[in-house]
Amino acid sequence: MKTTYREACREALRDALTRDDRVFLMGEDVGAYGGCFAVSLGLLEEFGPERVRDTPLSESAFVGAGIGAALGGLRPVVEIMTVNFSLLALDQILNNAATLLHMSGGQLNVPLVIRMTTGAGRQLAAQHSHSLEGWYAHIPGLRILAPATLEDARGMLWTALQDPDPVLLFEHGTLYGMSGELDDDAGPVDIDRAAVRRPGTDVTVVAYGGTLGTALDAADDLAGTGIDAEVIDLRTLRPLDMPTVLGSVARTHRLVVVDEGWRSGSLSAEIAARVAEEALYELDAPIERVCTAEVPIPYAKHLEEAALPRRDDVVAAARRAVG
Amino acid sequence: MGAFRMPSLGADMDEGTVIEWLVKPGDQVHRGDIVAVVDTAKSAVEVECFETGAVGEILVPAGEKVPVGTPLAMIGAGPAPPPTPPTPLTTPPGGVTGVAAGKSAKPRRPATPAHPPPASPPVRTFAAQAGVDLATVHGTGRGGAITRADVQRAAQSAAAVPAEPQPGRARVSPYARRLAAERGIGLPATPGELVRARDLPGGNGEAKAPPPPAAPAARHDESMRQAIAALMARSKREIPHYYLTATIDLHTAIEWLTAYNRTVPVTARVLPAALLLKAAARAAVRVPELNGHWIDGAFRPAAEVRLGVAVALRGGGLLTPAISGADTLTVPDLMTRLRELVGRARGARLRASDLAEPTITVTNLGDLGVESVHGVIYPPQVALLGFGAVAERPWAVDGLLGVRPLVTATLSADHRASDGAVGARFLHTIDTLLQTPEEL
């Protein structure tokens, strides 16, 4: 069936709310307004205010409440409007959700799922446009997911809800309107492995979330010039599926990492370091990284575009790597 | 013109002797041709070249022993150049390859005298640019360090002996460096220029061995004994072995083999050993924890199965050539490979490709009548499988006593890399596979 990323996210929520009555959704404007990105539109009418709960503007409070509900046996899905505002709940996420299992000697799991929007590209300026999922991928005790396709938007939520520990789902804001074909019987997907979205032989391009499309577009351009790029979608940012990345590098001997985070200390740095640690003797060229310029994301459209990883930047990096 | 170098034919080889040249200056050779026979500590090996072109001068005459990496001859495109007087090769302390002046790439690590006079990196660079050998410079800096002024003086002084300008270290990609080392070829680097895999002789591909011409067999008794002694002592010193033994009923397998052998000419008959090897190779795929190497304190699983086969030589001694991809060969093909391999090993005519590092080794002493072999692992492998003789013995099946052909399989495994349960799974897998020989 023809659908959009937004509808796939909604269908995943509807499916979870239907399947398991311990599941409920809460967040700012998820109920009456239908979600600030219209993901939960209609769910309040369908499931009622106990299952779809509007919260005050207090990330720390409602994430903390979600942690408490999870400890109490429910399966909360907490929506945070954007990753920028999740910093207000960072104390709850890091100091409680991610650590309670460890600090309770393995007695207290926190089966919580937090969804949030990430990324730039919509002229929402610096306070609504950053990509901080790499920070969260730094935290032991969390699992970090980045659905970049309709299948993953539809399928990752249920698998995340089965995880006894906290899972963060990052939905890139530019993807909600992405439309395409989705199988009528699309359902849960695995969240353990990266996926080769396009096989190739000359250069490995690693991307995730909002940059997957950029990488695939760049691969199309490269194919026109006789460079066969393999595009890998990380899908899970913590724990990283390094075997898939290393296997690809062992075939292509060249690596380009595309990351919408800022270059310094980004997830791209972690991937580059691990490949250098574990596959140095497969590398036939220096590792290339295509990241966001180290500035607060500008509001002006042309400046915003200039700051983000662009198709042409990926093409140029791949060309340098192939030499 | 590129240098054809003394290849490394094994992890433990650091020098080799050219026994015989099979080409002479002016000959045209193609990539993969066998151009020389090299004597290692273990056997005479026919060595292929990776370039196509005319043979230039022979730099190392037959009979000479040189370190791995030493240029042996020049091979290149175009007509052969007129022979020039051979450049003497120097081997500085530490066994570092000398450089044929102006012709070949620098060795991987520049040779350093035992106590180099201290000089800062910028001064070193300056000396290299000025063509001044730092070993000839008197240092006037702190603690005898060589200063820029010292180098300048040495460069202007008529007494100073100018060295060949030492260009900077070649920039070679890690992957290209690894491939070059694996193929035993030098890096065709004009230092300063970037070398990638595609710039190597042979490019990204794998070399294929052509049919070998006859090569003289050499006697290796003493050096081979020494090589085996060193390796086996190291194994027992470093590897905590554990041993597991399983008796396998070959009733079905031997029946199947007998039926198969009735359908083929005598020369194509398959021996039980081929079935055992095939089962071992397939089991190594299913239990990858035993297929690979223990390197730098960690187990590195291998991507494919290169099955080492221990071959006892007529005059004493032992070689373990490898069958690559043994798990993918049909049993008749495996038998053919085994015959060829044993023939080449005993005829001291192994090819470089036979000497690829095995990922797991099988030793089969059944033809000598032993019941079981508790073997010693070949480092850095992590497992060795020993088969005893296939013999008819009393055996209980379904509560009845019968006479069955049995074989005792013994696994020696490295306890650092795996535990007994893994080894047990491996032996059990071999047993299971041998119960359906038609599927092997």
Side-chain angles (χ1 to χ4, degrees):
Chain A
M1 60 177 174
K2 194 94 172 134
T3 187
T4 63
Y5 185 95
R6 174 183 289 108
E7 284 160 3
C9 290
R10 186 184 307 139
E11 198 45 45
L13 284 166
R14 178 180 285 123
D15 182 30
L17 288 160
T18 308
R19 273 214 240 188
D20 186 343
D21 55 18
R22 293 173 305 171
V23 173
F24 69 100
L25 174 69
M26 69 171 156
E28 292 151 347
D29 276 340
V30 298
Y33 186 65
C36 43
F37 300 102
V39 168
S40 50
L41 201 63
L43 295 182
L44 173 68
E45 292 75 5
E46 197 172 336
F47 293 97
E50 287 226 333
R51 312 282 311 280
V52 181
R53 310 176 76 104
D54 279 316
T55 63
L57 297 183
S58 175
E59 280 76 8
S60 181
F62 67 75
V63 171
I67 292 168
L71 288 168
L74 296 177
R75 293 288 178 272
V77 178
V78 174
E79 176 179 308
I80 300 176
M81 200 181 294
T82 81
V83 66
N84 308 264
F85 312 144
S86 75
L87 301 185
L88 292 156
L90 187 57
D91 166 55
Q92 289 291 349
I93 296 170
L94 169 55
N95 290 327
N96 288 331
T99 51
L100 276 171
L101 181 66
H102 167 84
M103 294 185 72
S104 66
Q107 299 174 87
L108 296 175
N109 289 92
V110 182
L112 169 72
V113 174
I114 304 176
R115 296 174 44 242
M116 56 184 108
T117 306
T118 185
R122 295 160 295 152
Q123 278 202 272
L124 294 176
Q127 290 171 327
H128 297 69
S129 299
H130 289 143
S131 295
L132 306 179
E133 53 273 12
W135 286 5
Y136 286 102
H138 177 67
I139 301 174
L142 300 180
R143 182 191 276 271
I144 310 297
L145 307 180
T149 63
L150 297 178
E151 288 77 15
D152 282 351
R154 171 67 184 83
M156 279 185 167
L157 181 72
W158 182 253
T159 320
L161 282 163
Q162 303 314 296
D163 194 309
D165 299 309
V167 180
L168 274 54
L169 264 147
F170 288 89
E171 297 160 7
H172 197 281
T174 57
L175 293 177
Y176 286 123
M178 177 176 77
S179 63
E181 280 296 320
L182 183 66
D183 283 349
D184 291 354
D185 59 351
V189 295
D190 90 276
I191 53 173
D192 295 318
R193 279 188 304 279
V196 178
R197 298 292 183 202
R198 174 189 178 122
T201 54
D202 295 334
V203 56
T204 297
V205 182
V206 171
Y208 69 88
T211 58
L212 176 63
T214 312
L216 288 168
D217 290 346
D220 283 342
D221 292 351
L222 288 163
T225 62
I227 293 175
D228 187 13
E230 176 151 303
V231 179
I232 291 185
D233 174 5
L234 287 175
R235 300 179 69 245
T236 297
L237 311 186
R238 181 182 187 95
L240 284 168
D241 172 17
M242 284 316 288
T244 297
V245 176
L246 295 169
S248 177
V249 169
R251 288 192 298 275
T252 66
H253 307 294
R254 300 172 190 102
L255 175 64
V256 176
V257 189
V258 191
D259 184 354
E260 204 179 295
W262 292 298
R263 184 190 206 84
S264 306
S266 62
L267 196 65
S268 71
E270 180 64 28
I271 291 162
R274 290 206 199 181
V275 170
E277 284 164 355
E278 296 172 54
L280 183 73
Y281 296 102
E282 296 293 354
L283 287 172
D284 204 20
I287 297 169
E288 296 278 349
R289 290 194 283 152
V290 182
C291 304
T292 291
E294 309 217 356
V295 295
I297 301 291
Y299 167 77
K301 188 162 183 56
H302 60 294
L303 292 177
E304 181 178 45
E305 279 174 10
L308 295 172
R310 285 178 294 190
R311 180 176 185 160
D312 289 352
D313 302 332
V314 179
V315 168
R319 287 228 174 89
R320 282 194 300 273
V322 174
Chain B
M1 288 304 249
F4 165 70
R5 292 162 185 271
M6 173 61 73
S8 171
L9 301 165
D12 52 349
M13 170 173 168
D14 43 26
E15 55 185 12
T17 309
V18 179
I19 302 181
E20 186 189 13
W21 280 102
L22 305 174
V23 293
K24 57 187 186 304
D27 285 1
Q28 284 289 330
V29 292
H30 298 91
R31 185 179 153 208
D33 284 1
I34 291 178
V35 296
V37 182
V38 166
D39 194 21
T40 71
K42 282 188 139 189
S43 74
V45 176
E46 293 161 336
V47 180
E48 307 104 340
C49 68
F50 290 91
E51 302 203 353
T52 295
V55 178
E57 58 180 312
I58 303 277
L59 301 170
V60 175
E64 207 164 300
K65 181 185 269 193
V66 293
V68 166
T70 307
L72 302 177
M74 303 305 291
I75 296 177
T84 52
T87 322
L89 289 166
T90 53
T91 307
V96 182
T97 312
V99 180
K103 279 226 167 148
S104 53
K106 282 189 52 170
R108 197 175 151 167
R109 289 188 198 291
T112 45
H115 297 290
S120 69
V123 171
R124 271 183 232 264
T125 309
F126 176 61
Q129 285 165 347
V132 171
D133 181 356
L134 286 176
T136 66
V137 179
H138 173 67
T140 61
R142 196 185 318 164
I146 298 171
T147 64
R148 199 180 175 85
D150 295 335
V151 175
Q152 238 154 353
R153 259 195 306 280
Q156 289 154 1
S157 145
V161 184
E164 280 286 319
Q166 289 283 317
R169 182 167 185 248
R171 293 169 62 220
V172 182
S173 84
Y175 177 56
R177 213 174 268 287
R178 191 193 92 199
L179 280 184
E182 281 172 1
R183 294 176 189 172
I185 50 182
L187 292 160
T190 324
E193 213 175 278
L194 181 59
V195 177
R196 291 174 150 200
R198 75 167 78 92
D199 306 320
L200 297 178
N204 286 312
E206 294 301 318
K208 283 200 171 53
R219 288 184 59 81
H220 298 86
D221 307 1
E222 197 44 47
S223 60
M224 176 180 286
R225 206 60 263 155
Q226 289 305 316
I228 294 172
L231 201 61
M232 292 297 106
R234 178 185 144 198
S235 175
K236 277 292 195 180
R237 204 169 43 240
E238 292 181 359
I239 302 182
H241 288 61
Y242 69 84
Y243 303 95
L244 303 173
T245 295
T247 302
I248 299 174
D249 182 350
L250 290 181
H251 173 77
T252 317
I254 300 288
E255 275 203 336
W256 177 85
L257 206 55
T258 310
Y260 172 84
N261 281 337
R262 281 202 202 96
T263 65
V264 295
V266 175
T267 50
R269 281 191 189 163
V270 175
L271 297 172
L275 280 179
L276 299 178
L277 288 180
K278 182 72 199 272
R282 292 268 309 272
V285 175
R286 291 199 197 170
V287 187
E289 298 96 321
L290 297 178
N291 185 57
H293 304 102
W294 182 268
I295 297 167
D296 297 336
F299 174 63
R300 315 232 167 139
E304 59 151 355
V305 177
R306 285 191 300 280
L307 196 64
V309 181
V311 179
L313 303 183
R314 301 278 183 238
L318 186 64
L319 281 170
T320 53
I323 300 177
S324 284
D327 55 313
T328 61
L329 295 171
T330 65
V331 171
D333 284 350
L334 193 59
M335 186 70 220
T336 311
R337 292 288 298 279
L338 184 63
R339 260 193 251 276
E340 291 172 349
L341 206 56
V342 172
R344 284 204 293 268
R346 289 187 174 154
R349 284 192 196 168
L350 283 173
R351 300 170 188 171
S353 49
D354 294 335
L355 291 175
E357 177 93 73
T359 56
I360 184 169
T361 296
V362 175
T363 178
N364 186 343
L365 292 176
D367 57 346
L368 302 172
V370 298
E371 289 180 18
S372 66
V373 193
H374 294 246
V376 179
I377 298 170
Y378 276 74
Q381 293 165 53
V382 299
L384 179 117
L385 182 65
F387 284 113
V390 180
E392 296 218 324
R393 299 188 190 280
W395 189 247
V397 181
D398 295 335
L400 291 175
L401 197 57
V403 173
R404 294 274 181 136
L406 305 179
V407 69
T408 303
T410 304
L411 174 73
S412 315
D414 183 339
H415 215 322
R416 296 171 305 179
S418 70
D419 305 316
V422 170
R425 199 149 40 90
F426 180 73
L427 287 178
H428 179 74
T429 305
I430 291 176
D431 190 337
T432 310
L433 289 165
L434 285 166
Q435 298 318 314
T436 52
E438 68 282 358
E439 291 172 19
L440 269 177

